[in-house]
Amino acid sequence: MVLERLNIINYKNIREATLDLSPKFNCFIGQNGAGKTNVLDAIYFLSFCHSAQTTQDSAVVHHDEDFFVLEGDYAEGLNIYCGMKRGTKKHFKRNKKEYKRLSEHIGLIPIVLISPADTLLIEGGSEERRRLMDVVIAQLDHPYIEALNRYNKALQQRNAMLRNEDQEPDPDVLALFEEQMAHEGELIYEKRSRFVSDLIPLFQQFYEIISGGHEQVSLSYTSHCQRGPLLEVIQRDRMKDRAVGYSLHGIHRDDLEILLNGHPMRREGSQGQLKTFVIALKLAQFEFLKRSNRAPQPAAEDMTPISGGLQSPTPILLLDDIFDKLDAHRVEQIIQLVAGDQFGQIFITDTNRDHLDQILSQGHFDHKLFHVKDGEIV
């Protein structure tokens, strides 16, 4: 996928910008807070129907205005429009036709974003690591999104009954929610499990390249589904769930275990190692999306393939301030990676032009260089 032109009006600190873009490298230089990240976030919004930094759409509207507009023209003959006034719902259109459901748009324009916030994948709670799995799989598999939505709805309804202090939950109604959680949860588990299995060798390969093979990293998927039939696992501690007021078991507690040289990464890793980890993980995500789009994986019996319903082009890669806290060797390895021909269109931000000049010196690349200051882009 190639974004040819981007129009931005009143998005965060960017009042108005029209950018004609390179099909390969688009470099944004500026000081912290200038608005570089906001450009990448606008591109992300056009793919995922929301900001990468907030779930509140009103928070992206320029503080002096009451609306924002984003519009992207893609080389594939695709026009995507999003507009919203404060206090109303956003309108998302594909080639001037508005979507009935925003979930229909997810996966049309695959994107991988690498940003400083990605350290939360290691330092944050398990919901950050589940979100990583969901964001990747959802771009390839619409039935996965629907199963996740049904699971979450059943979970919310079960939790509401568990929290009700005025009356005991009806066991028959509770069982209905538990059965739906178990059914959808096992489907979700199977797809997450296959995704992680395919991701691990790609991730380890990228980490070895960037680190020079100085460390060993591992990634493993943990889930309550591994304890037996999920319905039995959920129902086993129903009394304990009632006591605490929420569901202690299910795929909403899934996690990824992250190890460095056999020890937890969050305790043992330096800032450079944490940064290397998340960059390698996101580049593996890119490669997974790219390969899955090219060759659908075989499905287990009665299962939709993970790349099931949607064949998308090469993802767009967004690199936001990725060189900070990395030593010279790791910076050099990343530069050589992104300068290779395995990636398509790349958007990259930095406060220092030297890194970008290093990338561009690796070959004769089509590129555009933008300077950003106080929301103005030249």
Side-chain angles (χ1 to χ4, degrees), residues 125-184:
S126 60
E127 66 274 8
E128 299 293 339
R129 294 177 285 279
R130 286 193 298 275
R131 186 178 297 116
L132 170 77
M133 295 188 283
D134 294 341
V135 164
V136 180
I137 301 171
Q139 292 187 73
L140 297 165
D141 191 336
H142 279 174
Y144 179 86
I145 304 175
E146 294 163 2
L148 196 60
N149 288 338
R150 289 192 296 267
Y151 178 90
N152 287 332
K153 184 176 181 180
L155 172 65
Q156 290 167 4
Q157 292 170 317
R158 183 178 191 263
N159 284 349
M161 293 185 69
L162 294 172
R163 286 194 302 269
N164 190 339
E165 298 179 358
D166 296 331
Q167 65 181 67
E168 284 299 309
D170 184 324
D172 293 332
V173 177
L174 210 56
L176 290 175
F177 296 141
E178 292 164 347
E179 288 167 8
Q180 177 140 40
M181 286 173 61
H183 175 73
E184 306 297 349

Side-chain angles (χ1 to χ4, degrees), residues 99-114:
Y99 283 101
K100 293 181 180 178
R101 295 188 304 167
L102 293 181
S103 61
E104 297 171 359
H105 179 70
I106 306 303
L108 180 69
I109 307 167
I111 271 187
V112 173
L113 167 66
I114 306 178

Side-chain angles (χ1 to χ4, degrees), residues 48-144:
F48 285 102
C49 307
H50 63 79
S51 165
Q53 300 168 327
T54 177
T55 57
Q56 296 183 347
D57 293 331
S58 60
V60 307
V61 183
H62 192 288
H63 58 79
D64 289 335
E65 303 293 343
D66 63 358
F67 75 98
F68 81 89
V69 170
L70 298 175
E71 188 169 15
D73 291 314
Y74 297 81
E76 293 75 8
L78 184 66
N79 174 271
I80 301 298
Y81 167 92
C82 180
M84 191 193 82
K85 291 183 179 180
R86 290 189 190 275
T88 66
K89 73 172 187 176
K90 61 192 166 194
H91 295 275
F92 231 92
K93 299 179 182 179
R94 172 182 176 181
N95 292 341
K96 304 190 184 303
K97 184 176 180 180
E98 187 156 2
Y99 283 101
K100 293 181 180 178
R101 295 188 304 167
L102 293 181
S103 61
E104 297 171 359
H105 179 70
I106 306 303
L108 180 69
I109 307 167
I111 271 187
V112 173
L113 167 66
I114 306 178
S115 77
D118 289 331
T119 55
L120 286 174
L121 289 169
I122 301 169
E123 298 169 337
S126 60
E127 66 274 8
E128 299 293 339
R129 294 177 285 279
R130 286 193 298 275
R131 186 178 297 116
L132 170 77
M133 295 188 283
D134 294 341
V135 164
V136 180
I137 301 171
Q139 292 187 73
L140 297 165
D141 191 336
H142 279 174
Y144 179 86

Side-chain angles (χ1 to χ4, degrees), residues 269-325:
S270 67
Q271 287 186 319
Q273 288 169 329
L274 265 62
K275 192 78 176 276
T276 302
F277 184 96
V278 296
I279 291 172
L281 190 60
K282 288 300 192 80
L283 292 178
Q285 173 185 333
F286 177 96
E287 186 64 21
F288 174 84
L289 285 168
K290 182 178 167 185
R291 293 186 183 188
S292 298
N293 291 335
R294 200 167 54 228
Q297 300 171 4
E301 187 176 358
D302 295 326
M303 288 284 291
T304 303
I306 198 168
S307 52
L310 193 63
Q311 294 300 301
S312 306
T314 300
I316 294 172
L317 184 61
L318 308 179
L319 306 175
D320 188 20
D321 192 23
I322 65 169
F323 299 113
D324 185 41
K325 298 183 175 66

